[in-house]
Amino acid sequence: MRRPVLVVVLLLGLAAAMMPLEDRIHAERVALKYGGTPVTLAMRDRVGQGMAIGLLAGFRGVVADFLWIGNHGYFERKEWIRMYRNMELCTTLQPQAVTFWDTGAWHMGWNIAHAVSIDPANRTQAEGLKRQREWQNKAREFLADGLANIPHRWELHHGMGMLYWLKFNDHCQARDFFRQATAFPDAPSYCLRMYARRVEDCDGPQAAYDLWKQYWREGNPIPSRDGIDLKSVMRRELRRLEERLNIPAQQRIRA
Amino acid sequence: MTERVGFSFGRIVTIAANTFIESLRQKVYNILLVFALVVIASASFFSQFTFSEQLKFVKDFCLGAISVFGTLIAIVGTAQLLPAELENRTIYTILAKPVRRGEFLLGKYLGSLWLVFLSVVVMSVMFGAALYFKENRLVAETRLDRNLSAEEAATTVTRIHREARDGDLVKGVALTFVKLCLLAAITLLFSTVSTSMVFNVAMGFMAFLAGHLRGAVVEILGEGRVIRGLLTVIPDLGAFNVADDIILGNAIPWEHCAHVALYGVAYTAVVVTVAYLVFADREI
């Protein structure tokens, strides 16, 4: 008789003891932005029954990967809207996945935008350009959503910079995003060069020269982030700009 | 007058070692492990994607396989422990000796955990090999790519190394192991009340699903203390799924891992204690 009572007491004790710890773990997960959107009935309809079971069993990453792999088929069949919806779904499942946002935006801004611009179904060239711009805008919105979810990684800032630079021809916006990317300690060294080049395009060569001079003086040598000899990059850029600005020999940086 | 024997750790270890060796000889276990290794090895064959995608796929599939096959091994391995002893009547011989029921049960459970641990280690080694293979292949492809400048290639190689060699993956595997220990304990609890292995396996999987669905139930029914209190009987297995976030590059503080591990260990301790209390009263 005493044993069942003991079992009940143990279970009640477990409930009382575990609730604060569970609350703490839950609060930590929310603060660290773990997981993703909860699995709802609407999501079950979107991912399908099999995938929903996988999601409910805790295999969110694997399910998102399988869906993402499906993009390849949509891409080959030129089913752009389906591909877009699928990419949206993957980022809903794993909003912290940099590669989904980055690669998704690249598909939209580059591949799909180009494909729709040369689509034989376009009645005029203008229609192609209009459709191209629509997909580039989608890419920008997609990346902006990604940045709202993952502001602490350099990749999406860099992706947005590339989009503004190469697709919108907006060097000043691109400059700002490259500057943000450069601020991350793990950003590759080419971000620095891209930032300085956009400064040159947006603010003029003198501003870029001043920036390189500042880097040379303050960070000589800047610790290499990825094995690249930044010193030689700085030297090369300084020389190029000094030539472009016709800076007298005595005023040039001794690099 | 019945002579009371003291609690012996040596006897527990002996029973555990015996259980471990018996389980290792099981064909089911070996087949599951071989399947797991094949699945993990095949994860490195994804191509046609960017290197970040490929590395993510390898990590997701391998850690998913460790979780799936680890769950199968933990549940199936533990579910047959007591029913097999009862069916073969070996339990009578053992308990006729100066062995306490608690020692017997704990020995059986520890033997099962050793098996799970060995499986997780073997699968993790295979995972490491798959990741190493993929990393080397990506590096070789990058170096051979003539479209990349020397600077771009060097940067890409650095990024491949950084993404492939993520020490935090160990935390994901460790917490998966804690989850498997808990699942084995729950299955052991069911096997103390039932003599059917199939029932124990089914209940083990029910517990697995219920544990993962708990978060969804809380989302639907709300965060009320009564609901939460009632649901506390079911462990929140979703809390152990930090592997996804590790793969995505999120910071996983040791403090959070310690809390989750403590949660799992505390649950396991209570479940094993309840299993002992049930088993101690059971008529054999």
Side-chain angles (χ1 to χ4, degrees):
Chain A
M1 189 60 206
R2 280 167 61 190
R3 286 241 158 89
V5 175
L6 203 56
V7 169
V8 172
V9 168
L10 260 175
L11 290 174
L12 287 175
L14 173 75
M18 285 297 164
M19 271 164 79
L21 187 56
E22 272 187 1
D23 287 342
R24 189 160 181 174
I25 290 170
H26 183 67
E28 283 171 358
R29 286 183 73 86
V30 171
L32 294 164
K33 290 188 174 179
Y34 287 176
T37 311
V39 184
T40 56
L41 286 174
M43 188 178 280
R44 192 197 65 182
D45 292 340
R46 286 179 72 189
V47 299
Q49 196 75 20
M51 293 287 188
I53 291 169
L55 275 180
L56 291 172
F59 301 107
R60 188 178 280 263
V62 179
V63 169
D65 289 348
F66 265 115
L67 290 168
W68 191 259
I69 288 167
N71 278 338
H72 209 71
Y74 295 135
F75 185 77
E76 284 175 345
R77 293 192 296 274
K78 297 183 179 178
E79 294 174 347
W80 308 129
I81 298 294
R82 280 195 181 173
M83 187 174 171
Y84 175 67
R85 295 255 162 83
N86 201 43
M87 289 192 287
E88 264 193 333
L89 182 57
C90 292
T91 51
T92 306
L93 286 174
Q94 290 204 299
Q96 299 287 307
V98 172
T99 188
F100 287 166
W101 294 109
D102 199 18
T103 315
W106 171 68
H107 274 307
M108 290 177 212
W110 272 257
N111 299 331
I112 302 178
H114 176 68
V116 296
S117 73
I118 56 163
D119 186 353
N122 294 333
R123 281 163 297 180
T124 58
Q125 198 180 2
E127 188 184 346
L129 289 172
K130 181 174 170 276
R131 289 178 68 196
Q132 183 181 38
R133 182 57 78 193
E134 280 169 3
W135 278 102
Q136 285 164 352
N137 284 333
K138 271 191 204 300
R140 182 168 53 184
E141 286 162 22
F142 194 74
L143 267 180
D145 286 346
L147 275 170
N149 279 288
I150 327 171
H152 55 281
R153 297 278 295 267
W154 67 269
E155 290 95 332
L156 300 187
H157 296 278
H158 170 264
M160 197 66 124
M162 293 291 282
L163 193 69
Y164 270 114
W165 169 33
L166 295 172
K167 297 296 167 187
F168 291 101
N169 214 24
D170 186 340
H171 299 288
C172 298
Q173 286 275 17
R175 174 203 61 191
D176 293 346
F177 281 103
F178 283 129
R179 185 181 58 221
Q180 287 162 21
T182 308
F184 291 90
D186 59 334
S189 47
Y190 60 75
C191 285
L192 191 75
R193 198 175 64 243
M194 284 177 161
Y195 165 49
R197 286 284 177 110
R198 298 296 74 71
V199 168
E200 191 176 339
D201 291 335
C202 180
D203 305 314
Q206 186 61 49
Y209 182 62
D210 293 342
L211 184 72
W212 280 119
K213 269 201 306 190
Q214 184 195 334
Y215 277 132
W216 182 259
R217 284 174 183 154
E218 288 177 5
N220 184 16
I222 291 175
S224 179
R225 292 163 165 179
D226 43 17
I228 301 298
D229 181 12
L230 268 175
K231 213 173 162 182
S232 69
V233 173
M234 284 194 271
R235 195 179 290 127
R236 190 182 67 211
E237 289 297 307
L238 282 166
R239 286 286 162 271
R240 186 180 62 78
L241 286 163
E242 281 166 348
E243 290 297 326
R244 189 177 169 191
L245 291 164
N246 288 323
I247 292 180
Q250 61 274 24
Q251 288 175 24
R252 291 188 179 193
I253 295 283
R254 286 184 193 166
Chain B
M1 203 173 123
T2 319
E3 191 191 339
R4 301 273 305 170
V5 288
F7 197 83
S8 161
F9 193 69
R11 283 196 292 269
I12 294 171
V13 172
T14 307
I15 295 168
N18 218 33
T19 307
F20 175 63
I21 292 164
E22 264 180 41
S23 304
L24 272 183
R25 289 177 183 152
Q26 299 263 339
K27 279 181 190 158
V28 177
Y29 166 73
N30 290 305
I31 289 168
L32 278 175
L33 195 59
V34 168
F35 253 111
L37 296 181
V38 169
V39 169
I40 291 170
S42 62
S44 61
F45 292 122
F46 288 107
S47 55
Q48 310 256 341
F49 296 94
T50 63
F51 74 84
S52 284
E53 288 171 307
Q54 290 188 48
L55 288 172
K56 182 182 183 302
F57 295 163
V58 171
K59 291 179 198 172
D60 274 329
F61 280 92
C62 290
L63 284 172
I66 291 173
S67 182
V68 169
F69 287 99
T71 300
L72 283 170
I73 290 166
I75 292 176
V76 175
T78 315
Q80 48 91 34
L81 292 179
L82 293 184
E85 293 283 349
L86 284 166
E87 199 181 315
N88 301 332
R89 300 182 176 276
T90 43
I91 193 168
Y92 303 109
T93 324
I94 297 166
L95 292 181
K97 291 177 179 169
V99 176
R100 289 179 161 218
R101 285 194 181 195
E103 291 169 351
F104 176 75
L105 198 70
L106 210 54
K108 284 280 166 195
Y109 177 63
L110 283 182
S112 184
L113 286 197
W114 290 358
L115 182 78
V116 173
F117 180 73
L118 178 77
S119 313
V120 170
V121 168
V122 171
M123 288 190 282
S124 301
V125 169
M126 188 55 126
F127 169 32
L131 204 54
Y132 179 75
F133 172 72
K134 176 56 80 182
E135 180 189 354
N136 280 350
R137 204 162 136 182
L138 288 169
V139 168
E141 282 171 7
T142 306
R143 288 196 173 130
L144 287 173
D145 192 344
R146 289 183 182 180
N147 294 321
L148 296 176
S149 66
E151 185 188 341
E152 284 171 327
T155 305
T156 308
V157 166
T158 309
R159 286 183 64 194
I160 290 169
H161 287 317
R162 198 169 47 218
E163 286 191 28
R165 296 171 193 176
D166 186 356
D168 274 357
L169 289 170
V170 176
K171 294 178 189 172
V173 174
L175 289 181
T176 302
F177 176 67
V178 177
K179 180 173 87 171
L180 298 178
C181 293
L182 176 54
L183 278 171
I186 293 169
T187 312
L188 184 79
L189 172 62
F190 287 120
S191 71
T192 56
V193 290
S194 151
T195 51
S196 161
M197 182 192 152
V198 176
F199 175 80
N200 297 337
V201 170
M203 292 310 287
F205 281 111
M206 292 289 179
F208 173 81
L209 278 178
H212 279 105
L213 283 171
R214 227 196 76 159
V217 173
V218 172
E219 293 276 348
I220 295 164
L221 297 179
E223 298 270 338
R225 299 299 277 185
V226 178
I227 292 162
R228 286 283 316 280
L230 288 172
L231 284 173
T232 311
V233 181
I234 305 163
D236 183 5
L237 297 180
F240 297 91
N241 288 346
V242 295
D244 280 350
D245 297 287
I246 291 170
I247 293 164
L248 297 179
N250 282 343
I252 311 290
W254 280 108
E255 194 189 0
H256 180 71
C257 293
H259 288 152
V260 177
L262 175 69
Y263 177 69
V265 170
Y267 245 112
T268 305
V270 173
V271 173
V272 172
T273 309
V274 171
Y276 162 69
L277 291 172
V278 174
F279 185 62
D281 266 359
R282 181 175 171 174
E283 254 183 53
I284 296 170

